[in-house]
Coordinates of all heavy atoms in Angstrom, one line a residue:
M1 N 9.3 -11.6 25.0 CA 8.6 -12.8 24.7 C 7.5 -12.5 23.8 O 6.7 -11.6 23.9 CB 8.2 -13.4 26.0 CG 7.0 -14.3 26.0 SD 6.6 -15.1 27.6 CE 7.2 -14.0 28.9
I2 N 7.3 -13.3 22.7 CA 6.3 -13.2 21.8 C 5.3 -14.4 21.9 O 5.8 -15.5 21.9 CB 6.8 -13.1 20.3 CG1 7.7 -11.9 20.1 CG2 5.6 -13.1 19.3 CD1 8.4 -11.8 18.8
I3 N 4.1 -14.1 22.2 CA 3.1 -15.1 22.4 C 2.0 -15.0 21.3 O 1.4 -14.0 21.1 CB 2.4 -15.0 23.7 CG1 3.4 -15.2 24.8 CG2 1.3 -16.0 23.9 CD1 2.9 -14.9 26.2
A4 N 1.8 -16.1 20.5 CA 0.8 -16.2 19.5 C -0.2 -17.3 19.8 O 0.2 -18.4 20.2 CB 1.5 -16.5 18.1
K5 N -1.4 -16.9 19.7 CA -2.5 -17.9 20.1 C -3.7 -17.6 19.2 O -3.9 -16.5 18.6 CB -2.9 -17.8 21.5 CG -3.4 -16.4 21.9 CD -3.7 -16.3 23.4 CE -4.1 -14.9 23.8 NZ -4.4 -14.7 25.1
P6 N -4.5 -18.6 19.0 CA -5.7 -18.5 18.1 C -6.7 -17.4 18.7 O -6.8 -17.3 20.0 CB -6.4 -19.8 18.1 CG -5.3 -20.8 18.6 CD -4.4 -20.0 19.4
C7 N -7.3 -16.6 17.9 CA -8.3 -15.6 18.3 C -9.6 -16.3 18.7 O -10.0 -17.2 18.0 CB -8.5 -14.6 17.2 SG -9.6 -13.3 17.6
V8 N -10.2 -15.9 19.8 CA -11.4 -16.6 20.3 C -12.6 -16.0 19.6 O -13.7 -16.6 19.7 CB -11.5 -16.5 21.8 CG1 -10.4 -17.3 22.4 CG2 -11.5 -15.1 22.3
T9 N -12.6 -14.8 19.0 CA -13.8 -14.2 18.4 C -13.9 -14.3 16.9 O -14.9 -14.1 16.4 CB -13.8 -12.7 18.8 OG1 -12.7 -12.1 18.3 CG2 -13.9 -12.6 20.3
M10 N -12.8 -14.7 16.3 CA -12.8 -14.8 14.8 C -11.7 -15.7 14.4 O -10.8 -16.0 15.2 CB -12.7 -13.5 14.1 CG -11.4 -12.8 14.3 SD -11.3 -11.2 13.4 CE -9.8 -10.6 14.0
K11 N -11.6 -16.1 13.1 CA -10.6 -16.9 12.6 C -9.3 -16.1 12.4 O -9.3 -15.1 11.7 CB -11.0 -17.6 11.3 CG -10.0 -18.6 10.7 CD -10.6 -19.2 9.5 CE -9.7 -20.2 8.9 NZ -10.2 -20.8 7.7
G12 N -8.3 -16.4 13.1 CA -7.0 -15.6 13.1 C -6.1 -15.9 14.2 O -6.4 -16.8 15.1
I13 N -5.0 -15.2 14.3 CA -4.0 -15.3 15.4 C -3.9 -14.0 16.1 O -3.9 -12.9 15.4 CB -2.7 -15.7 14.8 CG1 -2.7 -17.1 14.0 CG2 -1.6 -15.7 15.8 CD1 -2.8 -18.3 14.9
V14 N -3.8 -14.0 17.4 CA -3.6 -12.9 18.2 C -2.1 -13.0 18.7 O -1.8 -14.0 19.3 CB -4.5 -12.7 19.4 CG1 -4.2 -11.6 20.3 CG2 -6.0 -12.6 18.9
I15 N -1.3 -12.0 18.6 CA 0.0 -12.0 19.0 C 0.3 -10.8 20.0 O -0.2 -9.7 19.7 CB 1.0 -11.8 17.8 CG1 0.8 -13.0 16.8 CG2 2.5 -11.8 18.2 CD1 1.3 -12.8 15.5
S16 N 1.0 -11.1 21.0 CA 1.3 -10.1 22.0 C 2.8 -10.2 22.3 O 3.4 -11.3 22.4 CB 0.5 -10.3 23.3 OG -0.8 -10.2 23.1
G17 N 3.4 -9.0 22.4 CA 4.8 -8.9 22.8 C 4.9 -8.5 24.2 O 4.3 -7.5 24.6
Y18 N 5.7 -9.2 25.0 CA 5.9 -8.9 26.4 C 7.3 -8.7 26.8 O 8.2 -9.3 26.2 CB 5.3 -10.0 27.3 CG 3.8 -10.2 27.2 CD1 3.3 -11.2 26.4 CD2 2.9 -9.4 27.9 CE1 2.0 -11.4 26.2 CE2 1.6 -9.6 27.7 CZ 1.1 -10.6 26.9 OH -0.3 -10.8 26.8
S19 N 7.6 -7.9 27.8 CA 8.9 -7.7 28.3 C 8.9 -7.5 29.8 O 8.0 -6.8 30.3 CB 9.6 -6.5 27.6 OG 10.8 -6.1 28.3
W20 N 9.8 -8.1 30.5 CA 9.9 -7.8 32.0 C 10.7 -6.5 32.2 O 10.6 -5.9 33.3 CB 10.7 -9.0 32.6 CG 9.9 -10.3 32.5 CD1 10.3 -11.3 31.8 CD2 8.7 -10.6 33.2 NE1 9.3 -12.3 31.9 CE2 8.4 -11.9 32.8 CE3 7.8 -10.0 34.1 CZ2 7.2 -12.6 33.2 CZ3 6.7 -10.6 34.5 CH2 6.4 -11.9 34.1
E21 N 11.5 -6.1 31.2 CA 12.3 -4.9 31.4 C 11.7 -3.6 31.2 O 12.0 -2.6 31.9 CB 13.5 -5.0 30.4 CG 14.3 -6.3 30.6 CD 15.2 -6.6 29.4 OE1 15.4 -5.7 28.5 OE2 15.8 -7.7 29.4
R22 N 10.8 -3.5 30.2 CA 10.1 -2.2 30.0 C 8.7 -2.4 29.3 O 8.5 -3.5 28.7 CB 10.9 -1.3 29.1 CG 11.1 -1.7 27.7 CD 11.9 -0.6 26.9 NE 11.7 -0.9 25.5 CZ 12.1 -0.2 24.5 NH1 12.6 1.0 24.8 NH2 12.0 -0.5 23.3
Q23 N 7.9 -1.4 29.3 CA 6.6 -1.5 28.7 C 6.8 -1.5 27.2 O 7.6 -0.7 26.6 CB 5.8 -0.3 29.2 CG 4.3 -0.4 28.7 CD 3.5 0.8 29.2 OE1 4.1 1.8 29.6 NE2 2.2 0.7 29.1
V24 N 6.0 -2.3 26.5 CA 6.0 -2.4 25.1 C 5.0 -1.4 24.5 O 3.8 -1.4 24.8 CB 5.7 -3.8 24.5 CG1 5.6 -3.8 23.0 CG2 6.7 -4.8 25.1
K25 N 5.5 -0.4 23.8 CA 4.7 0.7 23.2 C 5.1 0.8 21.7 O 6.3 0.8 21.4 CB 4.9 2.0 23.9 CG 4.1 2.2 25.1 CD 2.7 2.2 24.8 CE 1.9 2.8 26.0 NZ 0.5 2.6 25.8
V26 N 4.1 0.8 20.8 CA 4.4 0.9 19.4 C 4.0 2.3 18.9 O 2.8 2.6 19.0 CB 3.7 -0.2 18.7 CG1 3.8 -0.1 17.2 CG2 4.2 -1.6 19.1
D27 N 4.9 3.0 18.2 CA 4.6 4.2 17.5 C 4.1 3.8 16.2 O 4.8 3.4 15.3 CB 5.8 5.1 17.4 CG 5.6 6.4 16.7 OD1 4.6 6.5 15.9 OD2 6.4 7.3 16.9
L28 N 2.8 3.9 16.0 CA 2.1 3.4 14.8 C 2.5 4.2 13.5 O 2.7 3.6 12.5 CB 0.6 3.4 14.9 CG 0.1 2.5 16.1 CD1 -1.5 2.7 16.1 CD2 0.4 1.1 15.8
T29 N 2.7 5.4 13.7 CA 3.1 6.3 12.5 C 4.5 5.9 12.0 O 4.7 5.6 10.8 CB 3.1 7.8 12.8 OG1 1.8 8.1 13.3 CG2 3.4 8.6 11.6
R30 N 5.4 5.7 12.9 CA 6.8 5.3 12.6 C 6.8 3.9 12.0 O 7.5 3.6 11.0 CB 7.7 5.4 13.8 CG 9.2 5.2 13.5 CD 10.0 5.3 14.7 NE 10.2 3.9 15.2 CZ 10.9 3.6 16.3 NH1 11.5 4.6 16.9 NH2 11.0 2.4 16.7
T31 N 6.1 3.0 12.6 CA 6.0 1.6 12.2 C 5.4 1.5 10.8 O 5.9 0.8 10.0 CB 5.2 0.8 13.2 OG1 5.8 0.9 14.5 CG2 5.2 -0.6 12.8
A32 N 4.3 2.3 10.6 CA 3.7 2.3 9.2 C 4.7 2.7 8.1 O 4.8 2.1 7.1 CB 2.5 3.2 9.2
Q33 N 5.5 3.8 8.4 CA 6.4 4.3 7.4 C 7.5 3.2 7.2 O 7.9 3.0 6.0 CB 7.1 5.6 7.9 CG 7.9 6.2 6.8 CD 7.2 6.5 5.5 OE1 6.1 7.1 5.5 NE2 7.8 6.0 4.4
C34 N 8.0 2.6 8.2 CA 9.0 1.6 8.0 C 8.5 0.4 7.2 O 9.2 -0.1 6.3 CB 9.5 1.1 9.4 SG 10.7 -0.3 9.3
L35 N 7.3 0.0 7.5 CA 6.7 -1.1 6.8 C 6.4 -0.8 5.3 O 6.6 -1.6 4.4 CB 5.4 -1.6 7.5 CG 5.6 -2.3 8.8 CD1 4.3 -2.4 9.6 CD2 6.3 -3.7 8.6
R36 N 6.0 0.5 5.0 CA 5.8 1.0 3.7 C 7.2 0.9 2.9 O 7.3 0.4 1.8 CB 5.4 2.4 3.6 CG 3.9 2.6 3.7 CD 3.5 4.1 3.4 NE 2.2 4.4 3.9 CZ 1.9 5.1 5.0 NH1 2.9 5.6 5.7 NH2 0.7 5.2 5.3
D37 N 8.2 1.3 3.6 CA 9.6 1.3 3.0 C 10.0 -0.1 2.7 O 10.8 -0.3 1.8 CB 10.6 2.0 4.0 CG 10.4 3.5 4.1 OD1 9.6 4.1 3.3 OD2 10.9 4.0 5.1
R38 N 9.5 -1.1 3.4 CA 9.9 -2.5 3.2 C 8.9 -3.1 2.1 O 9.0 -4.3 1.9 CB 9.8 -3.3 4.5 CG 10.9 -2.9 5.4 CD 11.0 -3.8 6.6 NE 12.0 -3.4 7.6 CZ 12.4 -4.1 8.6 NH1 11.8 -5.2 8.8 NH2 13.3 -3.6 9.4
G39 N 8.0 -2.4 1.6 CA 7.1 -2.9 0.5 C 5.8 -3.4 0.9 O 5.0 -3.9 0.1
Y40 N 5.4 -3.2 2.2 CA 4.1 -3.7 2.6 C 3.0 -2.6 2.4 O 3.4 -1.4 2.4 CB 4.1 -4.1 4.1 CG 5.0 -5.2 4.4 CD1 6.3 -5.0 5.0 CD2 4.7 -6.5 4.0 CE1 7.1 -6.1 5.2 CE2 5.5 -7.6 4.2 CZ 6.8 -7.4 4.8 OH 7.6 -8.4 5.0
T41 N 1.8 -3.0 2.2 CA 0.7 -2.1 1.9 C 0.0 -1.7 3.2 O -0.5 -2.5 3.9 CB -0.3 -2.7 1.0 OG1 0.3 -3.2 -0.2 CG2 -1.5 -1.8 0.6
V42 N 0.1 -0.4 3.5 CA -0.6 0.2 4.7 C -2.0 0.6 4.2 O -2.2 1.4 3.3 CB 0.1 1.4 5.3 CG1 -0.7 2.0 6.4 CG2 1.5 0.9 5.8
K43 N -3.1 -0.1 4.7 CA -4.4 0.2 4.3 C -5.0 1.4 5.1 O -5.7 2.2 4.5 CB -5.3 -1.0 4.6 CG -5.0 -2.2 3.7 CD -6.0 -3.3 3.9 CE -6.0 -4.3 2.8 NZ -7.0 -5.4 3.1
K44 N -4.7 1.5 6.4 CA -5.3 2.5 7.2 C -4.4 2.8 8.4 O -3.9 1.8 9.0 CB -6.7 2.2 7.7 CG -7.4 3.3 8.5 CD -8.8 3.0 8.7 CE -9.6 3.6 7.6 NZ -11.0 3.6 7.8
L45 N -4.2 4.0 8.7 CA -3.4 4.4 9.9 C -4.2 5.4 10.7 O -4.6 6.5 10.2 CB -2.1 5.0 9.5 CG -1.3 5.7 10.6 CD1 -0.9 4.7 11.7 CD2 0.0 6.4 10.0
L46 N -4.6 5.0 11.9 CA -5.2 5.9 12.9 C -4.2 6.2 14.0 O -4.1 5.3 14.9 CB -6.5 5.3 13.4 CG -7.6 5.0 12.4 CD1 -8.7 4.2 13.0 CD2 -8.1 6.2 11.7
P47 N -3.4 7.2 13.9 CA -2.3 7.4 14.9 C -2.8 7.3 16.3 O -3.8 7.9 16.7 CB -1.8 8.8 14.6 CG -2.1 9.0 13.1 CD -3.4 8.3 12.9
G48 N -2.1 6.5 17.1 CA -2.4 6.3 18.5 C -3.6 5.4 18.7 O -3.9 5.1 19.9
M49 N -4.1 4.8 17.7 CA -5.3 3.9 17.8 C -5.0 2.5 17.1 O -5.1 1.5 17.8 CB -6.5 4.5 17.3 CG -7.0 5.7 18.1 SD -8.5 6.5 17.4 CE -9.7 5.2 17.5
M50 N -4.7 2.6 15.8 CA -4.7 1.3 15.1 C -4.0 1.5 13.7 O -4.1 2.5 13.1 CB -6.1 0.7 14.8 CG -6.1 -0.6 14.1 SD -7.7 -1.2 13.6 CE -8.9 -0.5 14.6
L51 N -3.3 0.5 13.3 CA -2.6 0.4 12.0 C -3.1 -0.9 11.3 O -3.1 -1.9 11.9 CB -1.1 0.4 12.1 CG -0.3 0.0 10.9 CD1 -0.5 1.0 9.8 CD2 1.2 -0.2 11.3
I52 N -3.7 -0.7 10.1 CA -4.1 -1.9 9.4 C -3.3 -2.0 8.1 O -3.1 -1.0 7.4 CB -5.6 -1.8 9.0 CG1 -6.5 -1.7 10.3 CG2 -6.1 -3.0 8.2 CD1 -7.9 -1.4 10.0
L53 N -2.7 -3.2 7.9 CA -1.9 -3.3 6.7 C -2.0 -4.7 6.1 O -2.7 -5.6 6.7 CB -0.4 -3.1 7.0 CG 0.2 -4.0 8.1 CD1 1.6 -4.3 7.7 CD2 0.2 -3.2 9.4
E54 N -1.4 -5.0 5.0 CA -1.5 -6.3 4.3 C 0.0 -6.8 4.3 O 0.9 -6.2 3.9 CB -2.0 -6.2 2.9 CG -2.2 -7.6 2.3 CD -2.9 -7.5 1.0 OE1 -3.8 -6.7 0.8 OE2 -2.5 -8.2 0.1
M55 N 0.1 -8.0 4.9 CA 1.4 -8.7 4.9 C 1.2 -10.2 4.6 O 0.3 -10.8 5.1 CB 2.0 -8.6 6.3 CG 2.4 -7.2 6.7 SD 3.2 -7.1 8.3 CE 4.8 -7.7 8.0
E56 N 2.0 -10.7 3.7 CA 2.0 -12.1 3.3 C 0.6 -12.5 2.9 O 0.2 -13.7 3.1 CB 2.5 -13.0 4.5 CG 3.8 -12.5 5.1 CD 5.0 -12.5 4.2 OE1 5.0 -13.3 3.3 OE2 5.8 -11.6 4.3
G57 N -0.2 -11.6 2.4 CA -1.6 -12.0 1.9 C -2.6 -11.9 3.0 O -3.8 -12.3 2.8
Y58 N -2.3 -11.5 4.2 CA -3.2 -11.4 5.3 C -3.4 -10.0 5.8 O -2.5 -9.1 5.7 CB -2.6 -12.2 6.6 CG -2.5 -13.7 6.3 CD1 -1.2 -14.2 6.0 CD2 -3.6 -14.5 6.3 CE1 -1.1 -15.5 5.7 CE2 -3.4 -15.9 6.1 CZ -2.2 -16.4 5.8 OH -2.1 -17.7 5.5
E59 N -4.6 -9.7 6.3 CA -4.9 -8.4 6.9 C -4.4 -8.4 8.3 O -4.8 -9.3 9.1 CB -6.4 -8.0 6.8 CG -6.6 -6.6 7.3 CD -8.1 -6.2 7.1 OE1 -8.5 -5.9 6.0 OE2 -8.8 -6.2 8.1
V60 N -3.6 -7.4 8.7 CA -2.9 -7.4 10.0 C -3.3 -6.1 10.7 O -3.2 -5.0 10.1 CB -1.4 -7.5 9.8 CG1 -0.7 -7.4 11.2 CG2 -1.0 -8.7 9.0
S61 N -3.8 -6.2 11.9 CA -4.1 -5.0 12.7 C -3.0 -4.9 13.8 O -2.8 -5.9 14.5 CB -5.5 -5.1 13.3 OG -6.5 -5.2 12.3
V62 N -2.5 -3.7 14.0 CA -1.5 -3.5 15.0 C -2.0 -2.3 15.9 O -2.5 -1.3 15.5 CB -0.1 -3.0 14.3 CG1 1.0 -2.8 15.4 CG2 0.3 -4.0 13.3
Y63 N -1.8 -2.5 17.2 CA -2.2 -1.6 18.2 C -1.0 -1.0 19.0 O 0.0 -1.7 19.1 CB -3.2 -2.3 19.2 CG -4.4 -2.8 18.5 CD1 -4.5 -4.1 17.9 CD2 -5.5 -2.0 18.3 CE1 -5.6 -4.5 17.2 CE2 -6.6 -2.4 17.6 CZ -6.6 -3.7 17.0 OH -7.7 -4.2 16.3
P64 N -1.2 0.2 19.6 CA -0.1 0.8 20.3 C 0.5 -0.1 21.5 O 1.6 0.1 21.8 CB -0.7 2.1 20.9 CG -1.9 2.4 20.0 CD -2.4 1.0 19.5
S65 N -0.3 -0.9 22.0 CA 0.1 -1.8 23.1 C 1.0 -2.9 22.6 O 1.6 -3.6 23.4 CB -1.1 -2.4 23.8 OG -1.7 -3.3 22.9
G66 N 1.2 -3.1 21.3 CA 2.0 -4.1 20.7 C 1.2 -5.4 20.3 O 1.7 -6.3 19.8
K67 N -0.1 -5.3 20.6 CA -1.0 -6.4 20.2 C -1.2 -6.4 18.7 O -1.3 -5.3 18.1 CB -2.3 -6.3 20.9 CG -3.4 -7.3 20.6 CD -4.7 -7.1 21.3 CE -5.7 -8.0 20.9 NZ -7.0 -7.8 21.7
I68 N -1.1 -7.6 18.1 CA -1.2 -7.8 16.7 C -2.3 -8.8 16.4 O -2.3 -9.9 17.0 CB 0.1 -8.2 16.0 CG1 1.2 -7.1 16.3 CG2 -0.1 -8.5 14.5 CD1 2.6 -7.6 15.9
I69 N -3.2 -8.6 15.5 CA -4.2 -9.6 15.1 C -4.0 -9.8 13.6 O -4.0 -8.9 12.8 CB -5.7 -9.1 15.4 CG1 -5.8 -8.9 16.9 CG2 -6.7 -10.1 14.8 CD1 -7.2 -8.3 17.3
I70 N -3.9 -11.1 13.2 CA -3.7 -11.4 11.8 C -5.0 -12.3 11.4 O -5.1 -13.4 11.9 CB -2.4 -12.2 11.6 CG1 -1.2 -11.5 12.1 CG2 -2.3 -12.5 10.1 CD1 0.1 -12.2 12.1
K71 N -5.8 -11.7 10.6 CA -7.1 -12.3 10.3 C -6.8 -13.5 9.3 O -6.0 -13.4 8.4 CB -8.0 -11.3 9.6 CG -8.5 -10.2 10.5 CD -9.4 -9.2 9.8 CE -9.8 -8.1 10.8 NZ -10.6 -7.1 10.1
L72 N -7.6 -14.5 9.5 CA -7.7 -15.7 8.7 C -6.4 -16.6 8.8 O -6.4 -17.7 8.2 CB -8.0 -15.4 7.3 CG -9.3 -14.6 7.0 CD1 -9.5 -14.3 5.6 CD2 -10.5 -15.4 7.6
L73 N -5.4 -16.2 9.5 CA -4.2 -17.0 9.6 C -4.4 -18.0 10.7 O -5.0 -17.7 11.8 CB -3.0 -16.1 10.0 CG -1.7 -16.8 10.2 CD1 -1.2 -17.5 8.9 CD2 -0.6 -15.9 10.7
E74 N -4.0 -19.3 10.5 CA -4.1 -20.3 11.5 C -2.8 -20.8 12.0 O -2.7 -21.6 13.0 CB -5.0 -21.5 10.9 CG -6.4 -21.1 10.6 CD -7.2 -22.2 10.1 OE1 -6.7 -23.4 10.1 OE2 -8.4 -22.0 9.8
D75 N -1.7 -20.5 11.3 CA -0.4 -21.0 11.7 C 0.3 -20.0 12.6 O 0.7 -18.9 12.2 CB 0.4 -21.2 10.4 CG 1.8 -21.7 10.7 OD1 2.1 -22.4 11.8 OD2 2.7 -21.4 9.9
S76 N 0.5 -20.4 13.9 CA 1.2 -19.5 14.8 C 2.6 -19.2 14.5 O 3.1 -18.1 14.8 CB 1.0 -20.0 16.2 OG 1.7 -21.2 16.4
K77 N 3.3 -20.1 13.9 CA 4.7 -19.8 13.5 C 4.8 -18.7 12.4 O 5.7 -17.9 12.5 CB 5.4 -21.1 13.0 CG 5.6 -22.2 14.0 CD 6.6 -21.7 15.1 CE 6.7 -22.8 16.1 NZ 7.4 -22.3 17.4
T78 N 3.9 -18.8 11.4 CA 3.9 -17.7 10.4 C 3.5 -16.4 11.1 O 4.0 -15.3 10.8 CB 2.8 -18.0 9.3 OG1 3.2 -19.3 8.7 CG2 2.8 -17.0 8.3
G79 N 2.6 -16.4 12.1 CA 2.2 -15.2 12.8 C 3.4 -14.6 13.6 O 3.5 -13.4 13.5
E80 N 4.2 -15.5 14.2 CA 5.3 -15.0 14.9 C 6.3 -14.3 13.9 O 6.9 -13.3 14.2 CB 6.0 -16.1 15.7 CG 5.3 -16.5 16.9 CD 6.0 -17.6 17.7 OE1 7.3 -17.5 17.8 OE2 5.4 -18.5 18.2
S81 N 6.5 -14.9 12.7 CA 7.4 -14.4 11.7 C 6.9 -13.0 11.3 O 7.7 -12.0 11.2 CB 7.4 -15.3 10.5 OG 8.2 -14.8 9.5
I82 N 5.6 -12.8 11.0 CA 5.1 -11.5 10.7 C 5.2 -10.5 11.8 O 5.6 -9.4 11.6 CB 3.6 -11.7 10.3 CG1 3.5 -12.4 8.9 CG2 2.9 -10.3 10.2 CD1 2.1 -12.8 8.5
A83 N 5.0 -11.0 13.0 CA 5.1 -10.1 14.2 C 6.6 -9.6 14.4 O 6.8 -8.4 14.7 CB 4.7 -10.8 15.4
R84 N 7.5 -10.5 14.1 CA 8.9 -10.0 14.2 C 9.3 -8.9 13.3 O 10.0 -8.0 13.6 CB 9.9 -11.2 14.0 CG 9.9 -12.2 15.1 CD 10.9 -13.3 14.9 NE 10.8 -14.3 16.0 CZ 11.3 -14.1 17.3 NH1 11.9 -12.9 17.5 NH2 11.1 -15.0 18.2
V85 N 8.7 -8.9 12.0 CA 8.9 -7.8 11.1 C 8.3 -6.5 11.6 O 8.9 -5.5 11.6 CB 8.3 -8.2 9.7 CG1 8.4 -7.0 8.8 CG2 9.0 -9.4 9.1
I86 N 7.1 -6.7 12.2 CA 6.4 -5.5 12.7 C 7.2 -4.9 13.9 O 7.4 -3.7 14.0 CB 5.0 -5.8 13.1 CG1 4.2 -6.1 11.8 CG2 4.3 -4.7 13.8 CD1 2.8 -6.8 12.0
Y87 N 7.5 -5.8 14.8 CA 8.3 -5.4 16.0 C 9.6 -4.8 15.7 O 10.1 -3.9 16.4 CB 8.4 -6.5 17.0 CG 7.1 -6.9 17.7 CD1 6.8 -8.2 18.0 CD2 6.1 -6.0 18.0 CE1 5.7 -8.6 18.7 CE2 4.9 -6.4 18.6 CZ 4.7 -7.7 18.9 OH 3.5 -8.0 19.6
D88 N 10.3 -5.3 14.6 CA 11.5 -4.7 14.2 C 11.3 -3.3 13.7 O 12.1 -2.4 14.1 CB 12.1 -5.6 13.1 CG 13.5 -5.2 12.7 OD1 14.3 -4.7 13.6 OD2 13.8 -5.2 11.5
C89 N 10.3 -3.1 12.9 CA 10.0 -1.7 12.4 C 9.6 -0.8 13.6 O 9.9 0.4 13.6 CB 8.9 -1.8 11.4 SG 9.5 -2.1 9.7
A90 N 9.0 -1.4 14.6 CA 8.5 -0.6 15.7 C 9.7 -0.3 16.7 O 9.5 0.6 17.6 CB 7.4 -1.3 16.5
G91 N 10.8 -0.9 16.5 CA 12.0 -0.7 17.4 C 11.9 -1.4 18.7 O 12.6 -1.1 19.7
V92 N 11.0 -2.4 18.8 CA 10.9 -3.2 20.1 C 11.2 -4.6 20.0 O 11.0 -5.4 20.9 CB 9.5 -3.0 20.7 CG1 9.2 -1.6 21.0 CG2 8.4 -3.6 19.7
L93 N 11.8 -5.1 18.8 CA 12.1 -6.5 18.6 C 13.1 -7.0 19.7 O 12.9 -8.1 20.3 CB 12.6 -6.8 17.2 CG 12.9 -8.2 16.9 CD1 11.7 -9.1 17.1 CD2 13.5 -8.4 15.5
E94 N 14.1 -6.2 20.0 CA 15.1 -6.6 21.0 C 14.4 -6.8 22.4 O 14.8 -7.6 23.2 CB 16.2 -5.6 21.1 CG 16.9 -5.3 19.8 CD 16.2 -4.3 18.9 OE1 15.6 -3.4 19.5 OE2 16.2 -4.5 17.7
V95 N 13.4 -6.0 22.7 CA 12.8 -6.0 24.0 C 11.9 -7.2 24.1 O 11.9 -7.8 25.2 CB 11.9 -4.7 24.2 CG1 11.1 -4.8 25.4 CG2 12.8 -3.5 24.1
V96 N 11.2 -7.6 23.0 CA 10.3 -8.8 23.1 C 10.9 -10.1 22.8 O 10.3 -11.1 23.0 CB 9.0 -8.5 22.3 CG1 8.2 -7.3 22.8 CG2 9.3 -8.4 20.8
S97 N 12.1 -10.1 22.2 CA 12.8 -11.3 21.9 C 13.4 -12.0 23.1 O 13.8 -11.4 24.0 CB 13.9 -11.1 20.8 OG 13.3 -10.7 19.6

């Protein structure tokens, strides 16, 4: 299940991927390489901590827990679409869908 909601501390969307079947864990290094291969700009990678990239004109932060923050985005449907690309690269899309 993918849940997108407005961020309470800044303008943006917070997205979380949940599964009843297994824990959602994102390998940031592998995910960053996949996103690079798909043409997205990786701004910073701190393995095991955080991945910052640019997607669809927005700055996106991805965490190992599967939490995604998209700064300045207000449309949750667009946020879910971006999250699906990230979760696909992370290999957890089937788990959270």
Side-chain angles (χ1 to χ4, degrees):
M1 153 177 25
I2 297 174
I3 298 174
K5 60 185 178 180
C7 184
V8 296
T9 58
M10 67 179 172
K11 188 175 180 183
I13 298 286
V14 176
I15 300 164
S16 299
Y18 295 99
S19 170
W20 297 109
E21 299 165 10
R22 71 175 191 169
Q23 185 178 17
V24 176
K25 281 292 198 187
V26 174
D27 179 335
L28 298 178
T29 303
R30 185 180 97 174
T31 303
Q33 186 57 51
C34 175
L35 290 166
R36 272 190 200 106
D37 292 345
R38 291 187 183 189
Y40 297 104
T41 303
V42 173
K43 291 182 166 185
K44 184 172 271 194
L45 170 62
L46 301 170
M49 293 177 61
M50 179 186 342
L51 166 64
I52 300 173
L53 60 141
E54 188 173 319
M55 295 181 74
E56 313 298 327
Y58 296 100
E59 185 175 286
V60 181
S61 300
V62 183
Y63 299 89
S65 66
K67 179 179 176 181
I68 299 170
I69 298 175
I70 306 172
K71 294 180 181 173
L72 303 177
L73 178 64
E74 294 182 5
D75 178 29
S76 62
K77 293 294 181 197
T78 301
E80 285 184 39
S81 175
I82 290 171
R84 287 186 183 282
V85 172
I86 294 168
Y87 290 145
D88 186 36
C89 274
V92 297
L93 183 59
E94 304 80 36
V95 175
V96 298
S97 290

